[in-house]
Amino acid sequence: MMRSILIAASLALAPAIPAFADSPDIPGSWPPLVREALGAVHEGHEDDVWRFTLTANYGEMGEFTARFDSSRPEGEQWTLISPASPAAMSDDLREEWIDMSTPDEEEAPAEDGEEAEEDTGQSFGIGGEGSGLFFSADTADLISGELNELRRSGGRAVYSFAPNMSDDEEDSDADDFGRYLSGELTVAQSDPFVERIRIFAPASFKPHPAARIHEFEMEMEFARVDGLPGPIVREFSTRIDLSALFQRQSQDIRFTFSDVEYEAR
């Protein structure tokens, strides 16, 4: 039960995917360096081919390493590298591997007068719709509000921002979470691009009367890679520490991407 609450809380706090293209005008008040960095976004195509190695670390649950190849048939795109077999994983880690490597279920058709069932599959969606590993306009739209420079060092500038967690004006749940969060944006000054987005809770908060988030942090790190038309994500991590149903538990997840290959279609 507690594990399902952790997953639900992580999903609720993870960024929604609003369409940056719907708001093409980057605020003129934002620093020129940031505006130039946001111009480095790249939109892929659903038929593009991605190949990469993923190391998925789930903290105390353990980690696995797998190779992804979107050119392979659905259901065969993931190849486990380490450990040698899912049987060597803990039960919880094996469940995560199955969720990631199993194709999403198709939505059940709606009966008359009923809503269609939601797709509950949790397979990793790289190589399908969207922009794959690229720093895309969807990701850029997490950045909102006033940007204030915090510091400069090592050829990087860091700014504070107000995270945009909602993808529509009526998404009150995301707005409720977002008002407790802060953001930091790191931009490379040479050949400007976004190197890091950090969204975190500066203090504990209660998103629900029966739950308290003691700690939340999400980080995305990006890099330029020779031969690729835009920056790509190299690491994605989340940490959440919460209390619910009179229990307290934390979860740390870190995805690291390496040996990335890309073919535009």
mmCIF file of all heavy atoms in Angstrom, residues 105-121:
data_model
loop_
_atom_site.group_PDB
_atom_site.id
_atom_site.type_symbol
_atom_site.label_atom_id
_atom_site.label_comp_id
_atom_site.label_asym_id
_atom_site.label_seq_id
_atom_site.Cartn_x
_atom_site.Cartn_y
_atom_site.Cartn_z
ATOM 1 N N GLU A 105 -0.724 -0.916 -22.178
ATOM 2 C CA GLU A 105 -1.978 -1.504 -22.624
ATOM 3 C C GLU A 105 -2.779 -0.469 -23.382
ATOM 4 O O GLU A 105 -2.758 0.721 -23.057
ATOM 5 C CB GLU A 105 -2.782 -1.988 -21.421
ATOM 6 C CG GLU A 105 -2.086 -3.071 -20.609
ATOM 7 C CD GLU A 105 -2.884 -3.437 -19.365
ATOM 8 O OE1 GLU A 105 -3.982 -2.852 -19.203
ATOM 9 O OE2 GLU A 105 -2.420 -4.273 -18.585
ATOM 10 N N GLU A 106 -3.501 -0.934 -24.409
ATOM 11 C CA GLU A 106 -4.370 -0.018 -25.137
ATOM 12 C C GLU A 106 -5.577 0.325 -24.285
ATOM 13 O O GLU A 106 -6.037 -0.475 -23.475
ATOM 14 C CB GLU A 106 -4.837 -0.651 -26.455
ATOM 15 C CG GLU A 106 -3.706 -0.876 -27.451
ATOM 16 C CD GLU A 106 -4.231 -1.395 -28.766
ATOM 17 O OE1 GLU A 106 -5.469 -1.562 -28.880
ATOM 18 O OE2 GLU A 106 -3.413 -1.636 -29.668
ATOM 19 N N GLU A 107 -6.059 1.555 -24.458
ATOM 20 C CA GLU A 107 -7.219 1.978 -23.698
ATOM 21 C C GLU A 107 -8.424 1.139 -24.091
ATOM 22 O O GLU A 107 -8.660 0.870 -25.270
ATOM 23 C CB GLU A 107 -7.517 3.452 -23.958
ATOM 24 C CG GLU A 107 -6.469 4.387 -23.411
ATOM 25 C CD GLU A 107 -6.845 5.835 -23.584
ATOM 26 O OE1 GLU A 107 -7.949 6.075 -24.133
ATOM 27 O OE2 GLU A 107 -6.081 6.709 -23.172
ATOM 28 N N ALA A 108 -9.189 0.725 -23.100
ATOM 29 C CA ALA A 108 -10.399 -0.052 -23.370
ATOM 30 C C ALA A 108 -11.453 0.858 -23.980
ATOM 31 O O ALA A 108 -11.606 2.010 -23.562
ATOM 32 C CB ALA A 108 -10.921 -0.662 -22.067
ATOM 33 N N PRO A 109 -12.186 0.372 -24.996
ATOM 34 C CA PRO A 109 -13.226 1.213 -25.601
ATOM 35 C C PRO A 109 -14.310 1.546 -24.600
ATOM 36 O O PRO A 109 -14.670 0.740 -23.737
ATOM 37 C CB PRO A 109 -13.752 0.345 -26.751
ATOM 38 C CG PRO A 109 -13.406 -1.062 -26.364
ATOM 39 C CD PRO A 109 -12.118 -0.963 -25.596
ATOM 40 N N ALA A 110 -14.828 2.756 -24.689
ATOM 41 C CA ALA A 110 -15.858 3.205 -23.745
ATOM 42 C C ALA A 110 -17.207 2.623 -24.113
ATOM 43 O O ALA A 110 -17.576 2.534 -25.292
ATOM 44 C CB ALA A 110 -15.924 4.720 -23.757
ATOM 45 N N GLU A 111 -17.943 2.185 -23.113
ATOM 46 C CA GLU A 111 -19.319 1.765 -23.313
ATOM 47 C C GLU A 111 -20.195 3.002 -23.365
ATOM 48 O O GLU A 111 -19.807 4.099 -22.955
ATOM 49 C CB GLU A 111 -19.753 0.860 -22.155
ATOM 50 C CG GLU A 111 -18.902 -0.406 -21.985
ATOM 51 C CD GLU A 111 -19.099 -1.390 -23.109
ATOM 52 O OE1 GLU A 111 -20.142 -1.277 -23.808
ATOM 53 O OE2 GLU A 111 -18.226 -2.258 -23.309
ATOM 54 N N ASP A 112 -21.409 2.841 -23.872
ATOM 55 C CA ASP A 112 -22.330 3.969 -23.936
ATOM 56 C C ASP A 112 -22.544 4.554 -22.551
ATOM 57 O O ASP A 112 -22.864 3.843 -21.602
ATOM 58 C CB ASP A 112 -23.687 3.519 -24.499
ATOM 59 C CG ASP A 112 -23.591 3.165 -25.973
ATOM 60 O OD1 ASP A 112 -22.603 3.587 -26.603
ATOM 61 O OD2 ASP A 112 -24.487 2.458 -26.479
ATOM 62 N N GLY A 113 -22.300 5.866 -22.453
ATOM 63 C CA GLY A 113 -22.534 6.547 -21.188
ATOM 64 C C GLY A 113 -21.416 6.388 -20.195
ATOM 65 O O GLY A 113 -21.514 6.861 -19.067
ATOM 66 N N GLU A 114 -20.317 5.710 -20.559
ATOM 67 C CA GLU A 114 -19.206 5.501 -19.649
ATOM 68 C C GLU A 114 -17.934 6.109 -20.216
ATOM 69 O O GLU A 114 -17.774 6.226 -21.433
ATOM 70 C CB GLU A 114 -18.970 4.005 -19.387
ATOM 71 C CG GLU A 114 -20.132 3.314 -18.677
ATOM 72 C CD GLU A 114 -19.816 1.861 -18.402
ATOM 73 O OE1 GLU A 114 -18.693 1.431 -18.773
ATOM 74 O OE2 GLU A 114 -20.655 1.162 -17.822
ATOM 75 N N GLU A 115 -17.021 6.490 -19.318
ATOM 76 C CA GLU A 115 -15.748 7.025 -19.753
ATOM 77 C C GLU A 115 -14.799 5.880 -20.078
ATOM 78 O O GLU A 115 -14.857 4.804 -19.486
ATOM 79 C CB GLU A 115 -15.130 7.902 -18.657
ATOM 80 C CG GLU A 115 -15.916 9.172 -18.364
ATOM 81 C CD GLU A 115 -15.222 10.029 -17.345
ATOM 82 O OE1 GLU A 115 -14.133 9.612 -16.877
ATOM 83 O OE2 GLU A 115 -15.747 11.110 -17.010
ATOM 84 N N ALA A 116 -13.908 6.130 -21.050
ATOM 85 C CA ALA A 116 -12.928 5.110 -21.412
ATOM 86 C C ALA A 116 -11.957 4.896 -20.261
ATOM 87 O O ALA A 116 -11.628 5.831 -19.525
ATOM 88 C CB ALA A 116 -12.156 5.533 -22.661
ATOM 89 N N GLU A 117 -11.500 3.650 -20.088
ATOM 90 C CA GLU A 117 -10.523 3.357 -19.048
ATOM 91 C C GLU A 117 -9.193 3.998 -19.395
ATOM 92 O O GLU A 117 -8.796 4.061 -20.555
ATOM 93 C CB GLU A 117 -10.329 1.840 -18.908
ATOM 94 C CG GLU A 117 -11.546 1.108 -18.353
ATOM 95 C CD GLU A 117 -11.241 -0.366 -18.136
ATOM 96 O OE1 GLU A 117 -10.033 -0.707 -18.137
ATOM 97 O OE2 GLU A 117 -12.172 -1.136 -17.972
ATOM 98 N N GLU A 118 -8.502 4.477 -18.372
ATOM 99 C CA GLU A 118 -7.206 5.079 -18.600
ATOM 100 C C GLU A 118 -6.166 4.006 -18.862
ATOM 101 O O GLU A 118 -6.242 2.895 -18.358
ATOM 102 C CB GLU A 118 -6.781 5.910 -17.383
ATOM 103 C CG GLU A 118 -7.633 7.147 -17.168
ATOM 104 C CD GLU A 118 -7.093 7.991 -16.046
ATOM 105 O OE1 GLU A 118 -6.025 7.633 -15.508
ATOM 106 O OE2 GLU A 118 -7.726 9.001 -15.716
ATOM 107 N N ASP A 119 -5.177 4.344 -19.690
ATOM 108 C CA ASP A 119 -4.053 3.457 -19.944
ATOM 109 C C ASP A 119 -3.210 3.395 -18.681
ATOM 110 O O ASP A 119 -2.669 4.388 -18.234
ATOM 111 C CB ASP A 119 -3.240 4.021 -21.107
ATOM 112 C CG ASP A 119 -2.035 3.161 -21.443
ATOM 113 O OD1 ASP A 119 -1.834 2.138 -20.769
ATOM 114 O OD2 ASP A 119 -1.314 3.528 -22.379
ATOM 115 N N THR A 120 -3.102 2.195 -18.110
ATOM 116 C CA THR A 120 -2.357 2.043 -16.862
ATOM 117 C C THR A 120 -0.946 1.515 -17.090
ATOM 118 O O THR A 120 -0.203 1.288 -16.143
ATOM 119 C CB THR A 120 -3.090 1.102 -15.895
ATOM 120 O OG1 THR A 120 -3.285 -0.170 -16.545
ATOM 121 C CG2 THR A 120 -4.452 1.677 -15.518
ATOM 122 N N GLY A 121 -0.577 1.275 -18.351
ATOM 123 C CA GLY A 121 0.764 0.785 -18.620
ATOM 124 C C GLY A 121 1.807 1.814 -18.226
ATOM 125 O O GLY A 121 1.574 3.006 -18.299
#
